[in-house]
Amino acid sequence: MQTLLSRRAMIAAAALPFLVRPGLLRAAEPDLSALSDITGGAVPIGPEERARRLARAQALMKANGIGAILIEPGSTMVYFTGVQWWRSERLTAVVIPVEGQPCIVTPFFEEPSVRETLAVPAEVRVWQEDENPLAVVAGFVRDRKLANRAVGVEETARFFAFDGMRKLLPDMRLVSANPVVRGCRMEKSPAEIALMQLATDVTLAAYRWVYPRVEAGMTGAEVGALMSAATRKLGGAPEFSMALIGEASAYPHGSKQVHRVAEGQVVLMDCGCTVQGYQSDVSRSWVHGQASAEQRKVWDTVAKGQQVARSAARIGAPAGSIDDAVRRFYEGQGYGPGYRLPGLSHRTGHGIGMDGHEPVNLVHGEATPLAAGMCFSNEPGLYLPGKFGIRIEDCFHMTDSGPLWFSTPPKGIEAPIG
């Protein structure tokens, strides 16, 4: 579930350390004195919840005939063990066996650092610079008498990790760890949902602060820098603060061309942050000054599309059926058909949690049934190439009685933040 640097993250990263406007150089940090940290009450994931995660993973492993799973650094490693690490040519990995404690495999000289974030009881095995780390992994698998069992590989693991295991354990079968990892991570606990709610609250508060400060002449990078600064002051770690202006808003992840806020131009913002490892994702669109009749019509249609998606989200419904419902509605309004432009050229939504994009997606053909605890974005934008685009994005989580919003969608283009 770990993702590479996204297009919108790269655009957000382009925000300059100084906000430059015609004839004026402004300090990067605006006056944020009206804002304060609202995340003081955040409750991090505790040892009891991590123990429940490992127990559920091992139950799913038994149910799927998997003897162990191999996980490289990323959000899944954090999810199960708390270990916050990075990927490099030096392997650090977690092996979770079907029974007993997990094992952390890491370079000898990194062991003290790895232990700093280790949050569960685990064995730690080290390897020296002149040794093969996969031999250490294979040794643990043999010691647990799992060498002739299936080993599940987490879906973002690199080829050398599982290829090295395959060579060292010829009787081992490599299979996907998705039934275990997705089976645990897709359905969020109340503690996870609470952190996602707090991250969303930060993003909404930042939007409320930024919106009245967007002025004619600003670039998207400048607007995004304001959003990032406000997010940090409110206690969130900015993940992306993307602002698309005018024609750039017609391209879901923007354009390398510089566009400036001007009368009658759409401003489309897509922003999110992290609180205690859990993310938000909220998009808002408005027109600077007076909106045209066409802009109003498209905004109202997207707002209705969001409600169509929400109405279709029911326990047991295939995830793809939400996307299908939105496309039927849009086609009835003259957009599409399908993913064609002008219309909705991307999926209706994606899973969200520790990663901004997680399985599964609200996309045509996705058969995974919705279940309580699943969390999704709802962002059925409409894009008119050469003109503008409108995207309104709010996330929701599934309950036994239906979806609940993390953020309430705005009611009209005149009050676009909500």
Side-chain angles (χ1 to χ4, degrees):
M1 294 193 181
Q2 179 183 355
T3 57
L4 298 176
L5 185 64
S6 65
R7 164 76 169 163
R8 63 183 176 186
M10 289 189 288
I11 294 170
L16 301 176
F18 291 91
L19 302 181
V20 183
R21 295 180 55 210
L24 181 65
L25 183 66
R26 301 190 298 172
E29 289 294 333
D31 180 5
L32 301 167
S33 59
L35 302 178
S36 60
D37 191 336
I38 64 173
T39 66
V43 179
I45 301 299
E48 297 84 2
E49 175 142 348
R50 291 197 196 278
R52 287 193 294 270
R53 293 173 177 180
L54 286 170
R56 176 162 173 74
Q58 290 176 326
L60 288 169
M61 290 161 69
K62 289 179 182 177
N64 288 275
I66 296 174
I69 59 173
L70 175 70
I71 300 166
E72 282 205 84
S75 57
T76 297
M77 182 179 284
V78 177
Y79 179 86
F80 285 117
T81 71
V83 172
Q84 299 176 29
W85 208 245
W86 62 91
R87 297 187 184 190
S88 74
E89 76 282 3
R90 294 184 173 103
L91 180 74
T92 289
V94 174
V95 185
I96 300 177
V98 69
E99 293 179 343
Q101 293 181 357
C103 178
I104 313 293
V105 176
T106 194
F108 168 77
F109 71 93
E110 301 285 25
E111 179 184 2
S113 301
V114 168
R115 285 188 181 275
E116 287 182 341
T117 53
L118 179 59
V120 298
E123 180 181 350
V124 178
R125 296 193 181 190
V126 300
W127 56 276
Q128 301 293 348
E129 289 277 72
D130 60 349
E131 294 178 328
N132 180 357
L134 275 308
V136 179
V137 173
F140 174 78
V141 172
R142 287 194 192 98
D143 290 348
R144 292 297 180 92
K145 299 183 174 16
L146 300 171
N148 60 352
R149 301 278 298 276
V151 172
V153 181
E154 200 265 341
E155 61 188 311
T156 70
R158 292 169 293 177
F159 176 77
F160 84 91
F162 55 86
D163 185 54
M165 286 185 64
R166 182 166 50 196
K167 291 174 180 175
L168 291 164
L169 299 170
D171 293 330
M172 177 195 68
R173 289 186 300 112
L174 289 173
V175 297
S176 171
N178 282 357
V180 179
V181 176
R182 291 189 178 191
C184 290
R185 289 190 57 183
M186 285 199 315
E187 298 178 16
K188 273 62 176 181
S189 69
E192 293 178 286
I193 287 172
L195 291 172
M196 293 175 68
Q197 183 62 65
L198 191 51
T200 303
D201 293 344
V202 168
T203 299
L204 290 175
Y207 267 126
R208 288 192 291 269
W209 185 86
V210 168
Y211 173 64
R213 290 168 173 79
V214 176
E215 303 172 4
M218 283 184 168
T219 66
E222 291 173 348
V223 176
L226 283 178
M227 188 72 180
S228 293
T231 298
R232 281 189 290 269
K233 187 66 182 294
L234 288 159
E239 287 290 332
F240 51 93
S241 299
M242 183 173 68
L244 309 179
I245 298 167
E247 182 184 348
S249 64
Y251 314 111
H253 287 159
S255 163
K256 66 180 180 180
Q257 304 300 320
V258 176
H259 297 264
R260 296 184 181 274
V261 176
E263 176 71 23
Q265 294 291 307
V266 167
V267 178
L268 189 163
M269 295 190 69
D270 187 353
C271 306
C273 73
T274 298
V275 172
Q276 292 288 338
Y278 285 83
Q279 293 200 21
S280 62
D281 194 355
V282 183
S283 296
R284 293 291 182 258
S285 298
W286 68 89
V287 175
H288 189 77
Q290 289 294 114
S292 68
E294 183 179 34
Q295 289 167 335
R296 288 177 181 275
K297 178 183 177 184
V298 174
W299 197 101
D300 289 344
T301 304
V302 171
K304 176 63 174 174
Q306 260 201 326
Q307 296 302 325
V308 169
R310 183 178 184 274
S311 296
R314 292 290 178 262
I315 295 294
S321 66
I322 289 82
D323 187 76
D324 295 339
V326 171
R327 288 184 202 282
R328 283 194 299 271
F329 167 66
Y330 279 172
E331 287 170 14
Q333 304 299 308
Y335 298 103
Y339 291 86
R340 295 181 185 175
L341 292 170
L344 173 55
S345 54
H346 56 72
R347 62 200 174 200
T348 293
H350 54 78
I352 184 171
M354 295 181 73
D355 295 317
H357 289 186
E358 295 186 357
V360 292
N361 298 311
L362 305 181
V363 65
H364 175 71
E366 177 56 65
T368 302
L370 301 189
M374 288 184 174
C375 302
F376 299 98
S377 71
N378 181 347
E379 48 179 316
L382 285 174
Y383 307 96
L384 287 65
K387 294 183 177 181
F388 64 90
I390 297 291
R391 182 161 70 249
I392 307 168
E393 177 183 14
D394 295 277
C395 294
F396 64 86
H397 60 95
M398 295 300 300
T399 73
D400 289 333
S401 58
L404 290 180
W405 293 115
F406 283 105
S407 54
T408 303
K411 295 188 180 300
I413 197 170
E414 303 298 343
I417 301 304

